[in-house]
Amino acid sequence: MENIANPYSRIGSLPMGEGGGRGRVYLFISLFLLWTFIGVFSKLVFLAVYASIIDGIGASDWWDVIWHGLVLDVAIAGYLTIIPALFFIASLWIESKTIGWIWKGYVGIVAFISSLAYVANIALYGFWGFPLDNTPLLYIKTSPSDAMASVTTGQLIGGLLAVCASTVFIYLLITRLVKLPKAQQNGKPLLQTIVILLLTALLIIPIRGGFGAGTNHTGAVYYSTNIRLCHAAVNPIFCFIESVTHDEDIADRYRFMDDKEATDIFGNMTCTALRGDSVGEFSLRGENQPRNVVVIMLESFSKYIMTEAGHVKGITPNLDRYSKEGMYFTRFYANSFRTDRAIVSILSGLPAQPTMSVMDIPHKSTSLPSIASAMGKAGYNSTFYYGGDTNYSNMKSYFMGTGFQNVVSDKDFPKELHTGKWGVADGPVYERILKDMIASDKKEKHLRVVMSESSHEPFDVPFKSHIKEPELNAFYYADKCLGEFVGAMKKQADWDNTLVLIVPDHLGAYPLNIDNYALWRYEIPMILLGGKITAQQVETIGCQTDIPATLLGILGIEHNEFLFSKDILDAKAPHFAFFTFPDAMGMVTEENTVIYDNALNKAVLDEGSEKGLNKKRVQAYLQKLYDKIADL
């Protein structure tokens, strides 16, 4: 006889609809929210443990950590709700206790794994100072005995107890609140199945972090110049998964020679000292130091599309004009083929890597020096501007971790200005920078860096010129916006107090068939403009990694922490260009140009008065680069 006191007893403990159909939708949503809550709760525990070492933390910071970290918590909740959705669907059709036992077993396993991650993150942060990633696996893999030797018996027991307690807590929380109802005895199980499948498909939204061009990264939660607050906002499960999927045996890659030989060769290729006044090169030191420094990184531009190259004409009239008005570096090279590598090269002086991107490894990228941090010590405020999504490729974590005080991105512009796939076009971004410059305190010094995006495919710019090709039309628009921005700055009263550095990130989009083994693929302009800059050409060889030392040298700011950066204007520094593309690299000096393919293990281009000279040099340079990254 049916239990009159409990009319829902025949469908389990959840009173949600005949046969539990609607109840399963309720279970789906409840489970997603429970995993989100667990991620949030772990942050509260983290903050409680480490509040004493986070400088100036207040009540509002606790809320900020939770709010900014929520994007990764819901992403993990999305991942952890996918498989349970299959249990919910199966329980609609199959009357079996086995499903219930499998469900509880699954919850137990996931509760243990997540507990391990959350506890390890809290336990290890005090020693390492960065969120949980694949570092424990590297230690266990390379030296398990040494890894265990670093842990005391008390710490091991305490850690195990904490993991067990957390596992039990999560297990009971989920199994008590999310109980599988019995199979649908009447009603419409097919309809319920379709609804749950649709909800499961919608999990892609929190998993990827919304609808933007960029997908979720650990850096998506970086929001403060206080790096420990950013670390507190990170979901350690997400960070661990991301680092494992981007894992590369950095220290073991590209071993061309013994360390002593590589070190000796590399030692002759570096110069980090600030050039002295006696050298006599151009400088803007002391009272001449500009109040406004603007670095403009042009998406996909190159010398190939400038009129002087002769391939096309009239595409970059403003860039062509500035090459004659300012200080034009005529033998300058891109360091890479991708924006994320180029940004790190330009701002931190770290050469690009052939098969990885250090920006994708936040605990390494945020430990790099940058012109923002160096200029910050000299009293400059700093802001990075981008019309796209700074969550892309962990950009935001890099900027916030390397000294930028503010980051302006697509989210800071009204929706009506989001006219392209990548976000806001160059025109409104430049207008925002100009507005900020005009409104700023005239007694303060500012570094403003902008990454343009309108010349990125799919070239959907809000402008149609006389040029038919969409790629060249986009370049024309980007150059037009650049000209209007620089023209507006020239009209300001403090143009004499302004220094503008213009450089592309890499050649891209044009020509359509790019040849990675051709030197023109890496030839880009670099131009300095400003009220105190006179027209001149610099024919010294250089590349993007030399920008920090050159810019800081002009400003009279120390740059000895930029190991790979050389002041192009310093006659005493070694002068060469280094660049990489997938599993290959190149080096240009006065005597020799070499492009070396690591997969083929041979030089595919070797020309100049001293052929073969740069083969050992480029190998030693790449080997020491990976040594440096491994030590970050």
Side-chain angles (χ1 to χ4, degrees), residues 73-152:
D73 293 332
V74 297
I76 289 300
Y79 280 117
L80 297 179
T81 306
I82 293 175
I83 293 179
L86 302 180
F87 286 106
F88 300 154
I89 293 172
S91 68
L92 271 167
W93 298 88
I94 304 171
E95 183 72 59
S96 173
K97 292 183 179 180
T98 303
I99 294 178
W101 286 110
I102 295 175
W103 161 247
K104 290 181 179 179
Y106 168 81
V107 173
I109 293 172
V110 176
F112 172 75
I113 294 173
S114 59
S115 295
L116 196 61
Y118 289 126
V119 171
N121 182 58
I122 293 171
L124 295 173
Y125 185 81
F127 299 99
W128 292 349
F130 56 83
L132 179 71
D133 61 2
N134 67 329
T135 302
L137 293 183
L138 297 179
Y139 281 120
I140 293 171
K141 177 181 177 181
T142 57
S143 183
S145 59
D146 290 343
M148 293 306 298
S150 301
V151 182
T152 66

Side-chain angles (χ1 to χ4, degrees), residues 1-10:
M1 176 182 246
E2 184 175 358
N3 187 343
I4 302 301
N6 183 8
Y8 303 104
S9 59
R10 64 184 177 89

Side-chain angles (χ1 to χ4, degrees), residues 290-350:
R291 186 180 74 83
N292 293 310
V293 176
V294 182
V295 177
I296 303 172
M297 295 184 285
L298 297 173
E299 172 67 53
S300 298
F301 273 66
S302 69
K303 288 184 71 171
Y304 194 96
I305 61 171
M306 293 177 67
T307 299
E308 70 172 283
H311 304 291
V312 291
K313 295 182 179 180
I315 304 301
T316 60
N318 293 294
L319 201 60
D320 294 340
R321 184 173 73 256
Y322 299 146
S323 69
K324 297 178 176 63
E325 289 182 3
M327 182 183 288
Y328 178 36
F329 295 77
T330 62
R331 302 177 70 188
F332 198 77
Y333 294 85
N335 194 233
S336 176
F337 63 102
R338 289 289 302 274
T339 301
D340 52 347
R341 274 93 152 171
I343 288 175
V344 175
S345 297
I346 292 168
L347 301 182
S348 292
L350 186 78

Side-chain angles (χ1 to χ4, degrees), residues 449-463:
V449 179
V450 58
M451 180 72 228
S452 74
E453 60 93 3
S454 289
S455 41
H456 195 293
E457 60 267 357
F459 316 112
D460 48 357
V461 297
F463 177 81

